[in-house]
Amino acid sequence: ALDEALYAPVQSEALRSAGLLQLARLHLEAGRPEAAVSAAKAAHELARGAYGPNHVESVSSLSDLGDALFAAGRPDEARAALVEATLRS
């Protein structure tokens, strides 16, 4: 049911992005950082498409992606995402 809600074509990019960000956070809390990375990447792409790269939702999703990447043991990618988020805010 969650997959249907997140990936149904009737949902807006903004709404799907918000749902995927929440899913990414839940994956992090549950100790599944790679799943969090996947969800956060998808959320960021949707937010960027819905709002543009400099909107607060896009920047916030990029920051969440950085957190997920760091938790997944990918510090260089995390740093790049967080630096970009900082520059866009």
Side-chain angles (χ1 to χ4, degrees), residues 3-4 12 16 25 42-43 48 55 60-61 66 87:
D3 284 342
E4 290 174 22
S12 72
R16 290 190 333 217
R25 291 176 186 137
R48 213 170 63 197
H55 189 277
S60 177
S61 67
L87 293 174

Side-chain angles (χ1 to χ4, degrees), residues 5-77:
L6 290 174
Y7 298 104
V10 297
Q11 299 294 334
S12 72
E13 288 182 337
L15 183 59
R16 290 190 333 217
S17 174
L20 285 165
L21 276 180
Q22 187 61 33
L23 182 62
R25 291 176 186 137
L26 291 172
H27 280 311
L28 279 179
E29 289 175 13
R32 296 185 298 266
E34 287 299 334
V37 169
S38 294
K41 277 185 180 180
H44 176 63
E45 290 300 318
L46 287 167
R48 213 170 63 197
Y51 301 110
N54 297 321
H55 189 277
V56 65
E57 294 295 334
S58 299
V59 173
S60 177
S61 67
L62 186 56
S63 179
D64 285 350
L65 174 57
D67 292 342
L69 287 162
F70 187 79
R74 295 158 65 176
D76 293 336
E77 293 172 82

